[in-house]
Amino acid sequence: MGPTSLAQKLPEAFYTRPDVVTIARELLGKHLCTRFDGVLTRGLVVETEAYSGTRDAACHAHLGRRTKRTEIMYHQGGVAYVYLIYGIYSLFNVVTNAEGTADAVLIRAIEPLEGIEEMRLRRNLAKIEPRLTAGPGLLTQALGISTRHTGASLTGSEIWFEDRGLEVPEQDILEGPRVGVAYAGADALLPWRFRLKGSRWVSKANPKYQV
C-alpha cells in the first residue's frame, strides 16, 4: 500500500457514478469519519458490500420496491441509508448512483484510527479489540451513527469519507459472497463483498454473523 497524503473529503461525484460494485471496491482504504457534539472519530474502511436495486435480489429495493425504509435509496448518491436489525443494531450504507436508482454500499468493518477511546466507551468495551468495529452493527455504535442519520449528506460535517492517498493494490482485495443473504438465491453467490487482505478488523466470515 502506498503512502498517505493530506486528507480530501470525497465529493458527491464519487457516489453518483453508476457502478455500485466499483464504488464498494474503491471505498476500501478510504477513511470514514464522524463528528458529533464536537467529538471526532475516524477509521479505515476494510470491508464493504455492494447492493443493486435493479439487478440484485439481496437488495432491499429489488424490483423497484419502495417503502418508508427504502425510499432514501432512490435519492441521488451521496447520502446515508441507516436501518435497524434485531431492534438493536444500526447498519450504515452509502447510497450511490443517480436519483431513482436504488444502489447502496454497506460498510461492514473499519480499522479504528482516531477517537478510539470514545469508540471504546460507546461500545462499552474494557480494551481495544476487533469487537470494537469489526462488524457493521459494531462500527456504527463506535462511530455514533444511528437511524436518525438516514438521509444525512456524506459531504457534510457529521459523516463523511476522506481520501488520504492510500493506494490499495488489487492483490490486497479479497472478494467473495455477501453475508447473511441466502434468501437471495443465485444473487447470494455474487462476489460483491470486499475485504482488505490481512486485516484483523474485518468481520467474522461465518454467514450467520449478522452484526
Side-chain angles (χ1 to χ4, degrees), residues 119 127 194:
M119 293 187 199
K127 61 181 181 179
F194 304 101

Side-chain angles (χ1 to χ4, degrees), residues 35-98:
R35 188 190 299 274
F36 302 123
D37 299 321
V39 178
L40 176 67
T41 52
R42 177 171 58 88
L44 182 76
V45 178
V46 297
E47 184 177 1
T48 64
E49 288 180 346
Y51 291 87
S52 178
T54 58
R55 54 188 173 124
D56 175 15
C59 182
H60 291 169
H62 182 53
L63 298 178
R65 186 182 303 117
R66 298 182 88 127
T67 66
K68 183 178 179 181
R69 181 174 78 165
T70 65
E71 189 63 31
I72 191 61
M73 296 185 71
Y74 292 90
H75 194 283
Q76 179 173 292
V79 298
Y81 167 41
V82 188
Y83 64 89
L84 199 66
I85 61 170
Y86 307 140
I88 302 173
Y89 296 102
S90 298
L91 272 57
F92 169 65
N93 300 260
V94 176
V95 175
T96 69
N97 213 323

Side-chain angles (χ1 to χ4, degrees), residues 13-197:
F14 178 92
Y15 307 106
T16 56
R17 293 176 295 162
D19 189 343
V20 67
V21 176
T22 294
I23 294 172
R25 292 178 70 96
E26 291 183 0
L27 280 170
L28 291 180
K30 301 299 189 290
H31 292 239
L32 173 55
C33 311
T34 66
R35 188 190 299 274
F36 302 123
D37 299 321
V39 178
L40 176 67
T41 52
R42 177 171 58 88
L44 182 76
V45 178
V46 297
E47 184 177 1
T48 64
E49 288 180 346
Y51 291 87
S52 178
T54 58
R55 54 188 173 124
D56 175 15
C59 182
H60 291 169
H62 182 53
L63 298 178
R65 186 182 303 117
R66 298 182 88 127
T67 66
K68 183 178 179 181
R69 181 174 78 165
T70 65
E71 189 63 31
I72 191 61
M73 296 185 71
Y74 292 90
H75 194 283
Q76 179 173 292
V79 298
Y81 167 41
V82 188
Y83 64 89
L84 199 66
I85 61 170
Y86 307 140
I88 302 173
Y89 296 102
S90 298
L91 272 57
F92 169 65
N93 300 260
V94 176
V95 175
T96 69
N97 213 323
E99 183 177 356
T101 305
D103 291 351
V105 177
L106 171 66
I107 306 300
R108 283 198 55 87
I110 63 170
E111 176 184 341
L113 296 175
E114 188 169 352
I116 295 176
E117 183 61 19
E118 181 66 25
M119 293 187 199
R120 185 186 66 79
L121 292 172
R122 288 171 176 167
R123 289 279 297 118
N124 194 28
L125 294 178
K127 61 181 181 179
I128 307 303
E129 56 182 304
R131 281 195 305 140
L132 182 63
T133 56
L138 310 182
L139 72 88
T140 52
Q141 289 181 348
L143 295 176
I145 297 172
S146 68
T147 53
R148 71 183 179 89
H149 296 113
T150 284
S153 171
L154 300 180
T155 59
S157 59
E158 287 195 321
I159 307 173
W160 70 94
F161 289 86
E162 292 178 354
D163 183 346
R164 295 198 168 209
L166 180 63
E167 298 289 341
V168 181
E170 284 296 314
Q171 62 266 26
D172 287 346
I173 298 177
L174 301 176
E175 60 180 50
R178 294 163 296 179
V179 176
V181 296
Y183 61 84
D187 286 346
L189 302 178
L190 291 170
W192 286 3
R193 177 189 180 204
F194 304 101
R195 294 167 288 156
L196 280 186
K197 183 178 181 180

